[in-house]
Amino acid sequence: MENIVMKKEIKKYKFGDWEEKEDILILETPLTIFFNDDEIVTLLCTPMYIEDLSVGFLAAEGFLKTPEDIDAVTGDYDKGIVWINGKTPPISSRKTFLKRFLTSGCGKGTTFYNFADTRILSVPVTNNLIKAETILEGAKKLQMHSSLFKETGGTHGALLIQDRNEICFREDIGRHNAVDKILGKCFRERISLSDKCLITTGRISSEILTKTAKMDIGILVSRSAPTSLAVELAEELGVTLVGFARGERMNVYTYPERIIK
Amino acid sequence: MENIVMKKEIKKYKFGDWEEKEDILILETPLTIFFNDDEIVTLLCTPMYIEDLSVGFLAAEGFLKTPEDIDAVTGDYDKGIVWINGKTPPISSRKTFLKRFLTSGCGKGTTFYNFADTRILSVPVTNNLIKAETILEGAKKLQMHSSLFKETGGTHGALLIQDRNEICFREDIGRHNAVDKILGKCFRERISLSDKCLITTGRISSEILTKTAKMDIGILVSRSAPTSLAVELAEELGVTLVGFARGERMNVYTYPERIIK
């Protein structure tokens, strides 16, 4: 834990008075991902599980198709660098990635990468069934596990479950990163995602929805809200999308038939 | 309001029972920003104030230096496009922007754009003083104004104040976008930011800190947590950084001398 939080002397204002206090901050550091000596991206993240984060990012972006595409993963926590060596991705994956961050220096492309992206996905993603109470129990476990959040207030958490079994829990300053860390671990360890349920503290935007659907997550749950576009994409891609899973309640936006009593 | 939220029939699970319910979702749509016919970026946002958002984004990224650099701003809400015409930005701005989303197709660069970026900033940003109670009052107003959040649970809000006067309030699915909408409005209307205080619901990461410091915000307040890197940069750039401003409390991470009783 010492490596991912930082102590800081601060001044606290409280009912009209000042006091000196020690506060605990969540670490944010840059992580640069190289793929076969090409610099792909620099993310800002909480420096834990940076190898899984990097693999998850590249897999969700289409650079890696199967675990066999990877020859080696080498992380340097001090320098904030991960090198991934493997099979060179097809040019189309790079193009799709580029479109998201298109600039005049890098050619032209269509504007809406998400829909272009999602056309290649198979529907439906899953035939998995899950009990409503299992989802709510998972959401409670996610909250219980979020120790960095309790300490710093600055993280998002994500928990992968299979029925009532917890498969993996991760935290990060970024809601995308917490999810990518789980996706990367499962990709590297060949853990199938189509029979799992992913629960996150973060809001569900179109990007999270697309990313997890691509990786075969068919039941996506959030303690927070989804956006309109996330719900539309969930409909289109065959994903069961659940929001506001808190206490004894949840909202099911798409494919409720997969959630049983 | 009808244009930025969407109604959706959902199933709600509540203490073991299902009910049909109408839910309200916040709109998320893609926005593509063109600058002099060059496609710069596609953001996902809540489609309000897209012209301000685009100008704020380009100004904070260094594409626009002064309002005089802009000849025309044209927004098309249906297509999700904003065209900005103006003085061609210096190549260095484009390079800095590129570094953040570096790919093998677009040349090489240093890994940590933030520090490279911040070196050009002047320190200190402000000599502005503000009363502690004014900040807490502002944080309460921010919460009161967040009507889209109350309706949908899916937005972040940002409020700009000058002493006890409210200058501008904006909401968006993205915490960056809500801030960019305010920055863009002020940039276009030549409203100085160095004597203002910006309050946001979102967590303060290094990116938000750098972006607002570049635009001369010297007092940055959040209802949530800052990250370690945001605090380090605030220290370096002369920004007063306040977190967890809720009710009668707040944590002051840097330069507390600007906050008076």
Side-chain angles (χ1 to χ4, degrees):
Chain A
M1 280 293 199
E2 303 97 61
N3 295 332
I4 48 166
V5 296
M6 193 179 89
K7 289 180 179 172
K8 162 95 183 152
E9 291 298 325
I10 66 158
K11 284 189 84 173
K12 191 180 180 80
Y13 184 87
K14 201 170 151 183
F15 293 101
D17 282 318
W18 288 103
E19 59 186 54
E20 307 279 336
K21 196 187 151 252
E22 189 182 75
D23 196 51
I24 295 175
L25 296 166
I26 185 73
L27 271 202
E28 177 191 5
T29 62
L31 168 67
T32 301
I33 305 172
F34 285 83
F35 189 64
N36 289 339
D37 302 326
D38 285 335
E39 188 175 332
I40 305 295
V41 75
T42 296
L43 306 173
L44 294 157
C45 69
T46 305
M48 287 186 295
Y49 305 105
I50 59 174
E51 298 89 352
D52 286 350
L53 170 57
S54 303
V55 170
F57 182 89
L58 290 185
E61 292 294 340
F63 282 81
L64 300 167
K65 297 291 179 199
T66 71
E68 287 73 27
D69 290 347
I70 304 174
D71 292 329
V73 181
T74 319
D76 184 325
Y77 281 78
D78 290 333
K79 288 186 183 148
I81 299 180
V82 170
W83 293 269
I84 295 173
N85 290 305
K87 202 175 131 193
T88 307
I91 289 165
S92 62
S93 303
R94 293 186 187 204
K95 276 197 181 156
T96 305
F97 179 68
L98 264 179
K99 271 181 198 164
R100 299 178 55 176
F101 304 117
L102 198 70
T103 70
S104 57
C106 302
K108 305 280 173 191
T110 59
T111 53
F112 193 7
Y113 84 94
N114 255 320
F115 282 138
D117 229 17
T118 53
R119 270 191 216 113
I120 55 166
L121 293 172
S122 53
V123 180
V125 173
T126 188
N127 292 314
N128 196 15
L129 296 179
I130 191 166
K131 281 190 178 173
E133 293 304 325
T134 304
I135 292 178
L136 292 176
E137 186 186 280
K140 276 171 211 158
K141 282 179 187 164
L142 172 59
Q143 202 182 10
M144 270 165 45
H145 285 322
S146 301
S147 57
L148 282 174
F149 181 79
K150 276 170 213 146
E151 220 174 358
T152 67
T155 54
H156 279 292
L159 174 68
L160 187 72
I161 57 171
Q162 180 174 31
D163 292 324
R164 300 188 61 197
N165 301 317
E166 299 176 36
I167 310 296
C168 182
F169 167 75
R170 294 292 180 262
E171 285 181 279
D172 199 286
I173 56 154
R175 63 200 165 91
H176 284 78
N177 296 341
V179 167
D180 281 348
K181 284 174 177 176
I182 290 181
L183 299 180
K185 175 192 163 70
C186 293
F187 187 84
R188 295 174 79 188
E189 298 177 13
R190 296 173 174 75
I191 299 169
S192 159
L193 289 169
S194 63
D195 55 352
K196 311 283 188 300
C197 166
L198 184 66
I199 311 173
T200 166
T201 59
R203 289 164 305 123
I204 305 284
S205 60
S206 61
E207 289 179 302
I208 294 273
L209 195 287
T210 309
K211 173 179 294 215
T212 54
K214 263 181 174 173
M215 301 295 279
D216 278 342
I217 297 275
I219 302 177
L220 183 60
V221 177
S222 172
R223 289 181 45 84
S224 315
T227 66
S228 65
L229 194 51
V231 173
E232 284 168 32
L233 287 168
E235 196 97 58
E236 200 173 311
L237 300 174
V239 174
T240 296
L241 181 57
V242 178
F244 298 103
R246 299 176 190 179
E248 302 304 322
R249 297 157 202 252
M250 60 183 165
N251 290 348
V252 185
Y253 293 90
T254 52
Y255 304 97
E257 59 272 20
R258 292 201 195 108
I259 303 176
I260 53 178
K261 272 216 182 181
Chain B
M1 278 297 198
E2 302 99 61
N3 295 331
I4 47 167
V5 295
M6 193 178 90
K7 287 180 182 174
K8 160 97 184 151
E9 291 298 324
I10 66 157
K11 284 189 83 173
K12 191 179 180 79
Y13 184 88
K14 202 169 152 185
F15 294 101
D17 282 318
W18 289 103
E19 58 184 56
E20 306 278 337
K21 194 187 153 259
E22 189 180 78
D23 196 52
I24 295 174
L25 296 166
I26 185 73
L27 271 202
E28 177 190 5
T29 61
L31 168 67
T32 302
I33 305 172
F34 285 82
F35 188 65
N36 288 341
D37 302 324
D38 286 334
E39 188 174 331
I40 305 296
V41 76
T42 297
L43 306 173
L44 293 157
C45 69
T46 305
M48 287 186 294
Y49 305 106
I50 58 174
E51 298 89 352
D52 285 349
L53 170 56
S54 303
V55 170
F57 181 89
L58 291 184
E61 292 294 340
F63 283 81
L64 300 168
K65 298 292 181 199
T66 71
E68 287 73 29
D69 290 347
I70 304 173
D71 293 330
V73 180
T74 318
D76 184 324
Y77 281 78
D78 290 333
K79 290 187 182 147
I81 299 179
V82 169
W83 294 269
I84 295 172
N85 291 306
K87 202 174 131 193
T88 307
I91 289 166
S92 63
S93 302
R94 294 185 184 204
K95 276 197 180 156
T96 305
F97 179 68
L98 266 179
K99 271 182 198 165
R100 297 178 55 178
F101 306 115
L102 199 69
T103 70
S104 57
C106 304
K108 306 279 175 191
T110 58
T111 53
F112 194 4
Y113 85 95
N114 254 319
F115 282 140
D117 227 17
T118 51
R119 268 190 218 112
I120 54 167
L121 294 171
S122 54
V123 179
V125 174
T126 187
N127 293 314
N128 196 15
L129 296 179
I130 191 167
K131 281 190 181 176
E133 294 303 325
T134 304
I135 291 178
L136 293 177
E137 185 186 281
K140 277 171 213 159
K141 283 180 187 163
L142 172 59
Q143 202 182 8
M144 272 165 44
H145 285 320
S146 300
S147 57
L148 282 174
F149 181 79
K150 276 169 214 145
E151 218 173 0
T152 66
T155 54
H156 278 293
L159 174 68
L160 187 73
I161 57 171
Q162 180 173 33
D163 291 325
R164 299 189 60 198
N165 301 318
E166 299 177 35
I167 310 298
C168 182
F169 167 75
R170 295 292 180 262
E171 284 181 279
D172 199 284
I173 57 153
R175 63 199 164 89
H176 285 78
N177 295 342
V179 167
D180 281 349
K181 283 173 178 176
I182 290 181
L183 298 180
K185 175 192 162 70
C186 293
F187 187 84
R188 294 174 80 188
E189 296 177 14
R190 297 173 174 75
I191 299 168
S192 159
L193 289 169
S194 63
D195 56 351
K196 310 284 187 300
C197 166
L198 184 66
I199 311 173
T200 165
T201 58
R203 290 165 306 122
I204 305 285
S205 60
S206 61
E207 289 177 303
I208 294 273
L209 195 286
T210 309
K211 173 179 292 212
T212 54
K214 261 180 172 174
M215 301 294 282
D216 278 344
I217 297 275
I219 301 176
L220 182 61
V221 176
S222 172
R223 290 180 46 85
S224 315
T227 66
S228 65
L229 194 51
V231 173
E232 284 168 34
L233 287 167
E235 196 96 57
E236 200 173 312
L237 300 174
V239 175
T240 295
L241 180 57
V242 178
F244 299 101
R246 298 176 191 178
E248 301 305 321
R249 296 157 203 252
M250 62 183 163
N251 290 348
V252 185
Y253 293 90
T254 51
Y255 303 97
E257 59 272 20
R258 291 201 196 108
I259 302 176
I260 54 178
K261 273 215 181 180

